[in-house]
Amino acid sequence: MTAMRRLLAFILGTALLVAVAVWLTDRPGAVTVHWHGWRIDTTVTMLVLTIVVVVALVEVLLRLGLGLIRAPRRWLAERRARRLAEGYRALSDGLAAVSAGDKRASHTLARRAEKLLADPSLTGLLSARAAEMAGDAKAAEQRLEAMVARPETAFVGLEGLMRLALTKGDNARALDYARRAWALGTRAEGLAPILFDLQARAGQWAEAELTLTEARKRGVVAEEGVGRRLALVLTQRALTVENTGDKDAAAILALKAHQTDPAFVPAATLAARLLLACGKPRKAAAVIEKTWGLASHPDLARVWRDLAPTETPLARVKRLERLIHANREAADSHIALAEAALDAGLWGQARSHLMKAEGRRPAAAYGLLARLEESEHKDEAAARAWRTKAETAPPGPAWTCSACGTRSESWSAACPSCGAIDGLAWRSQSGKGQES
């Protein structure tokens, strides 16, 4: 369509010129020009033709002049465009080399991208990664700092600085960078767990709770993992408040932790103990019963016994049977009932439960069997044999860190050895978790 229009315009223009030329030829006329003593005699047609030629020459000269003036600028623009294209190509290839772990290529391409693009905020990520691979942490930090200055790349820069600080073991600076990156409001799916962990390690439990709540709103954490972590934070906050002497406030926090994750044994144990201390044994019993059906534990059994310290041994057996009803086959249920039966002198019942627990809790079962032999038959030799077996049996479950393997007698939010948050799990030395 455009070509047709141009052709039509050319035809019309040519026709118009021919018509004008014919018209002038039919009417030749005469023109005399006097200028500074000069006299020029010519026809009208020749004058018009001369004017057209002069105008055309002037236009050609003007175009040539403008072309010469603009040539350097055009050349510089083309050169700049070529450098940008080559720079972006080097940037792209360099990031690919970093992903492939090619240290030499990433370093070479990073330097080329820096030279061609001359914008540290654009090349910072590649340069920082290349510097990290080369072991130059200082250069990597400088490149990332340049990225922080640019709003579009600030998050990437802060996240990179945070990871550098973590590599150097500087948790305080890592926490500062993580908090600043989180404040930018991006989805940042991998940042929330790191920020939570750093806040927890720093003992900032209230801030860690806010991070989890905000992460849930942004939809950047798996919903099934939030409840457990919130329960952990609330339990630790309850322990901190308990140490100040405010048992009522601590009980509220512990109960909230239990309601957040009823299967979390430390929360249930602490909530039941604090509720009992606040004179609320019924609420404490309800907490223990709910958790026992999900995850039995010796600590829960101990708090259950404390609910009625003045009851008779036989009454305790009956009350304990009510507790274990929801989880009768758990090893802890058999051990707890066997111990209560021994106190009540129910030898047959005690032996029956110990035989069922022997395969899963050998050390605890053998110790109680020794006590049974002494109490029922007064057989010291048999009791000594059971104690010997208990001493050589594999140790029972304990709070064990999944990160460093340290075994602890009591639960804490952070591993007492390596500081891992939520690292302690109730399991045996063989690595098996809580038995149901």
Side-chain angles (χ1 to χ4, degrees), residues 53-172:
V53 171
V54 170
V55 170
L57 286 173
V58 170
E59 185 179 1
V60 169
L61 290 174
L62 285 173
R63 285 180 178 274
L64 286 173
L66 289 173
L68 290 172
I69 293 171
R70 293 173 179 172
R73 187 184 303 170
R74 188 181 300 114
W75 178 80
L76 288 173
E78 291 175 356
R79 182 173 179 271
R80 189 179 300 112
R82 284 197 305 271
R83 287 175 64 87
L84 280 174
E86 292 175 9
Y88 283 122
R89 191 179 301 111
L91 181 62
S92 176
D93 293 346
L95 291 171
V98 167
S99 299
D102 191 337
K103 187 187 300 184
R104 178 178 294 180
S106 63
H107 181 68
T108 301
L109 290 166
R111 293 185 64 181
R112 180 169 176 76
E114 283 182 339
K115 181 180 178 181
L116 293 171
L117 296 177
D119 188 348
S121 64
L122 288 175
T123 59
L125 180 61
L126 171 59
S127 301
R129 293 286 187 268
E132 280 186 69
M133 292 175 69
D136 190 350
K138 186 175 181 180
E141 189 170 343
Q142 290 174 346
R143 266 80 172 173
L144 291 168
E145 287 286 3
M147 295 183 72
V148 174
R150 188 166 178 255
E152 292 81 1
T153 57
F155 176 80
V156 177
L158 287 168
E159 189 180 39
L161 288 168
M162 175 196 72
R163 296 188 185 282
L164 274 180
L166 287 172
T167 302
K168 293 189 287 188
D170 191 346
N171 286 352

Side-chain angles (χ1 to χ4, degrees), residues 38-366:
W38 290 84
R39 176 177 173 169
I40 302 172
D41 295 314
T42 184
T43 63
V44 172
T45 302
M46 184 57 69
L47 177 63
V48 171
L49 182 60
T50 301
I51 292 172
V52 170
V53 171
V54 170
V55 170
L57 286 173
V58 170
E59 185 179 1
V60 169
L61 290 174
L62 285 173
R63 285 180 178 274
L64 286 173
L66 289 173
L68 290 172
I69 293 171
R70 293 173 179 172
R73 187 184 303 170
R74 188 181 300 114
W75 178 80
L76 288 173
E78 291 175 356
R79 182 173 179 271
R80 189 179 300 112
R82 284 197 305 271
R83 287 175 64 87
L84 280 174
E86 292 175 9
Y88 283 122
R89 191 179 301 111
L91 181 62
S92 176
D93 293 346
L95 291 171
V98 167
S99 299
D102 191 337
K103 187 187 300 184
R104 178 178 294 180
S106 63
H107 181 68
T108 301
L109 290 166
R111 293 185 64 181
R112 180 169 176 76
E114 283 182 339
K115 181 180 178 181
L116 293 171
L117 296 177
D119 188 348
S121 64
L122 288 175
T123 59
L125 180 61
L126 171 59
S127 301
R129 293 286 187 268
E132 280 186 69
M133 292 175 69
D136 190 350
K138 186 175 181 180
E141 189 170 343
Q142 290 174 346
R143 266 80 172 173
L144 291 168
E145 287 286 3
M147 295 183 72
V148 174
R150 188 166 178 255
E152 292 81 1
T153 57
F155 176 80
V156 177
L158 287 168
E159 189 180 39
L161 288 168
M162 175 196 72
R163 296 188 185 282
L164 274 180
L166 287 172
T167 302
K168 293 189 287 188
D170 191 346
N171 286 352
R173 291 188 67 187
L175 175 57
D176 177 61
Y177 291 132
R179 190 184 290 115
R180 288 166 60 188
W182 183 253
L184 293 176
T186 59
R187 280 183 58 82
E189 295 190 12
L191 180 61
I194 297 175
L195 177 58
F196 171 84
D197 188 79
L198 288 168
Q199 288 171 328
R201 286 175 180 265
Q204 299 175 1
W205 297 107
E207 291 84 350
E209 183 180 355
L210 289 175
T211 296
L212 284 177
T213 304
E214 179 64 22
R216 175 182 274 175
K217 287 181 182 177
R218 296 187 194 182
V220 296
V221 290
E223 190 63 31
E224 59 269 17
V226 175
R228 166 61 181 254
R229 293 206 161 212
L230 277 174
L232 177 139
V233 169
L234 290 166
T235 302
Q236 187 61 47
R237 287 185 62 194
L239 286 169
T240 304
V241 172
E242 184 189 17
N243 290 335
T244 66
D246 192 346
K247 293 188 181 297
D248 290 325
I252 292 173
L253 286 169
L255 187 58
K256 186 178 177 182
H258 165 70
Q259 292 166 346
T260 302
D261 186 0
F264 190 45
V265 170
T269 304
L270 180 61
R273 182 169 59 78
L274 289 169
L275 287 169
L276 179 59
C278 293
K280 300 176 181 178
R282 282 192 172 184
K283 281 190 175 182
V287 167
I288 297 172
E289 286 176 350
K290 187 170 185 178
T291 301
W292 191 273
L294 300 170
S296 61
H297 195 278
D299 289 347
L300 293 172
R302 279 190 282 272
V303 180
W304 182 265
R305 286 196 298 269
D306 294 339
L307 293 178
T310 59
E311 68 184 345
T312 63
L314 190 58
R316 179 171 297 167
V317 171
K318 292 181 179 179
R319 192 166 59 86
L320 193 57
E321 285 177 343
R322 190 184 79 201
L323 169 66
I324 70 165
H325 178 73
N327 203 351
R328 297 192 66 86
E329 296 308 314
D332 291 312
S333 295
H334 291 301
I335 292 294
L337 269 175
E339 194 169 4
L342 275 171
D343 292 337
L346 303 175
W347 316 126
Q349 186 175 341
R351 190 177 298 276
S352 173
H353 286 296
L354 290 174
M355 290 299 103
K356 292 176 182 178
E358 181 182 1
R360 289 178 288 172
R361 296 285 191 274
Y366 295 155

